[in-house]
Amino acid sequence: MRYLTFALAKGRLAKKSLEILEQIGIYCEQMKDPDTRKLIFVNEELKLKFFLSKASDVPTYVEYGCADIGIVGKDTILEEGRNLYEVADFGIGRCRMCVAGPKSAKELLNHGQLIRVATKYPHIAKDYFYNTKHQTVEIIKLNGSVELAPIVGLSEVIVDIVETGSTLRENGLDVLEEICPLSARMVVNQVSMKMEQERITDIISKLRKAGLIQSGS
Ligand code: PRP
């Protein structure tokens, strides 16, 4: 039997994903060592491999077949736009992708004005403004602390993740429009879905039976 390989987004999401998988008997003892700097782990008995990568690289490893299965946020899946099957919603890491800014910027979103939009998610922002709102905007790519942009005058609004809303609140910004809900999803390589159909559908049905994935996924 060949190894079934999982790509996990390193950090908190990997830990939570493994806790969920463990409940259906998918586990890896090697990964529990908190001090390990290893990136790849094997469960010989179950013929499983797990590797940890940067979240934004998970869809890439899965599309190219280095991993059969990936667990990663919907924000990353949308931004990376890879050819994958999204097969289940883990319902963890729930948050929203939003357009945010000062209240005064709200009217700039209603009149098709050329405004600047700062974001870590240029593809999501572009798709939303161009294809949903039909508003031509200038997208400015940032790498973090995006809330700064409208405060210091880099952009009128931002497109960013809102979880509790406290970063916006503490910086005098508001959610102006909601783009979509986000949570961690399981994605599968398109060839693996055929070649390893039995093992993969077995995992999905066990997750569903145990109530570990959201209904409808
Ligand atoms: C994310 C996001 C917001 C914040 C939202 O940032 O980009 O800044 O969390 O969370 P809240 O609604 O609960 O305040 P992250 O912590 O990933 O850091 P970053 O700003 O460097 O991207």
Side-chain angles (χ1 to χ4, degrees):
M1 189 161 52
R2 74 183 270 280
Y3 289 98
L4 198 64
T5 302
F6 289 76
L8 304 176
K10 68 179 170 194
R12 215 161 32 131
L13 184 56
K15 197 165 170 264
K16 282 191 176 176
S17 309
L18 283 167
E19 282 166 12
I20 289 178
L21 292 173
E22 199 162 327
Q23 294 181 59
I24 58 157
I26 291 177
Y27 62 95
C28 187
E29 288 304 322
Q30 285 182 2
M31 285 184 97
K32 292 187 175 163
D33 173 1
D35 299 322
T36 184
R37 300 288 294 165
K38 274 179 75 164
L39 296 171
I40 185 149
F41 305 88
V42 184
N43 180 330
E44 283 299 345
E45 193 193 332
L46 299 177
K47 284 278 177 259
L48 298 172
K49 271 189 195 162
F50 300 84
F51 64 75
L52 298 172
S53 78
K54 203 172 150 69
S56 52
D57 295 334
V58 167
T60 311
Y61 285 113
V62 175
E63 183 188 88
Y64 282 88
C66 307
D68 302 291
I69 295 172
I71 300 171
V72 69
K74 178 72 176 174
D75 51 321
T76 307
I77 297 169
L78 290 172
E79 185 59 25
E80 294 303 311
R82 295 280 175 186
N83 290 313
L84 313 157
Y85 293 132
E86 186 184 312
V87 297
D89 182 351
F90 271 37
I92 54 174
R94 281 193 184 284
C95 49
R96 301 174 292 157
M97 186 64 76
C98 295
V99 180
K103 270 201 183 71
S104 58
K106 178 98 180 143
E107 63 182 280
L108 302 174
L109 301 172
N110 299 329
H111 304 295
Q113 296 198 37
L114 177 62
I115 55 169
R116 290 191 292 191
V117 180
T119 185
K120 280 199 293 189
Y121 303 92
H123 291 111
I124 295 175
K126 193 171 171 193
D127 181 59
Y128 180 67
F129 277 96
Y130 283 64
N131 301 328
T132 304
K133 285 180 68 68
H134 307 291
Q135 180 172 5
T136 306
V137 295
E138 183 183 342
I139 310 271
I140 302 174
K141 166 85 177 15
L142 290 177
N143 297 297
S145 301
V146 177
E147 291 84 356
L148 255 181
I151 300 171
V152 300
L154 179 66
S155 69
E156 280 76 23
V157 298
I158 59 173
V159 164
D160 200 14
I161 289 174
V162 178
E163 193 180 351
T164 62
S166 56
T167 311
L168 289 181
R169 247 187 329 272
E170 288 185 29
N171 291 288
L173 305 172
D174 285 291
V175 170
L176 304 176
E177 289 180 357
E178 190 171 320
I179 300 178
C180 61
L182 304 168
S183 55
R185 310 290 162 95
M186 180 184 276
V187 293
V188 175
N189 171 270
Q190 295 185 341
V191 176
S192 306
M193 199 66 210
K194 295 190 184 74
M195 306 300 285
E196 294 291 342
Q197 196 190 14
E198 217 180 297
R199 291 170 87 190
I200 293 171
T201 51
D202 180 57
I203 291 170
I204 298 166
S205 75
K206 279 182 178 153
L207 287 166
R208 188 168 294 126
K209 275 189 199 132
L212 295 167
I213 54 177
Q214 305 304 298
S215 54
S217 68

